[in-house]
Amino acid sequence: METQRKYKFDWDNTVGADMQVARPSLGPNTRIEVYRLFQFTLRDVLEQHYGTEAADSLFREAGVMAGKAFFEKFLSGADNVSSLTVKIHEAFTQLGIGIFRVESAETDNSRFIFTVDEDLDCSGLADTADVVCVYDEGFIRGVLECFSGKGFDVKEIDCWCTGSRTCRFEAKMLAS
Ligand SMILES: [Zn+2]
């Protein structure tokens, strides 16, 4: 039996179905600073309580949930990889998430390299020794798994924060 959950995610009830009703004068937009303020304070608290690895893995898990919900909401009409990637590009651009591109793709769809320029999570942040976009790793994994029904491993291999000035993700289909 599922334990009682106060915050179980579903789009209409926890994001909201109609932004015209929710915010008739301010509308659906806020600023990147507000998004990052929320993300990086939550991340700091998770790290302080549970350590870096657990904080990252919780963020990644949330990203998977988000990617699946995002697929259902914006991408579900895609019936092949090229229409999927076009739809991701359009939705990411329209919603201000980042500029999504496919850098390379295996013909059997078992491996992809994606890039996201001007990424919502990290673009413009100070250089660090490590990538930071673990939420996006999960997000892309959620999208690919929802689309294909197959398992994927997604790793960020370059990040704004590592000096690359773009985020680059390698997605590999898991052997079934
Ligand atoms: Zn990044």
Side-chain angles (χ1 to χ4, degrees), residues 119 122 131-133 156 158-161 166-167 169:
D119 186 273
C122 72
V131 298
V132 300
C133 298
E156 191 184 30
D158 291 310
C159 186
W160 176 285
C161 298
T166 189
C167 298
F169 299 91

Side-chain angles (χ1 to χ4, degrees), residues 104-117:
S104 70
E106 292 290 325
T107 46
D108 63 355
N109 300 322
S110 62
R111 182 175 173 274
F112 301 93
I113 303 283
F114 303 116
T115 60
V116 182
D117 284 354

Side-chain angles (χ1 to χ4, degrees), residues 2-10 13-15 65:
E2 197 175 76
T3 49
Q4 192 101 35
R5 284 163 63 190
K6 184 175 173 185
Y7 298 116
K8 185 171 171 26
F9 179 84
D10 85 271
N13 291 312
T14 56
V15 177
M65 187 185 279

Side-chain angles (χ1 to χ4, degrees), residues 153-168:
D153 178 59
V154 179
K155 274 300 303 150
E156 191 184 30
I157 51 177
D158 291 310
C159 186
W160 176 285
C161 298
T162 59
S164 295
R165 300 300 179 257
T166 189
C167 298
R168 181 169 283 108

